[in-house]
Amino acid sequence: MNLQHWIDQHPTAFAAIFPIYFLSLWLLIGAIISFIGGWFSLAKVYRTRLPFDGSMERNGECKAARCGG
């Protein structure tokens, strides 16, 4: 049985499984890119345990759209 035949036979199951599959694949690829590119190492070196205690600055892009607040 090929994949297309299974999808045709179980469209509801495919609709439920595909978003989970897509999100998992997205997160896996992002993690691989962070390891290869060095972002994971940077995050370990510059990690902080303190909560953010500053004001949130808005950039110029936020003025053209609703920014919630």
Side-chain angles (χ1 to χ4, degrees):
M1 180 182 337
N2 63 13
L3 183 59
Q4 185 61 50
H5 180 67
W6 187 86
I7 293 170
D8 292 340
Q9 295 295 322
H10 307 91
T12 306
F14 177 73
I17 293 171
F18 183 75
I20 296 167
Y21 168 76
F22 183 80
L23 180 63
S24 299
L25 193 60
W26 184 275
L27 293 174
L28 176 66
I29 291 171
I32 291 170
I33 290 172
S34 76
F35 282 117
I36 293 171
W39 288 101
F40 182 76
S41 299
L42 285 172
K44 285 173 54 177
V45 171
Y46 294 104
R47 178 171 295 165
T48 182
R49 301 282 183 222
L50 302 173
F52 181 70
D53 191 30
S55 64
M56 297 296 286
E57 299 290 329
R58 295 188 187 254
N59 61 15
E61 294 176 10
C62 190
K63 294 176 185 173
R66 291 186 180 188
C67 294

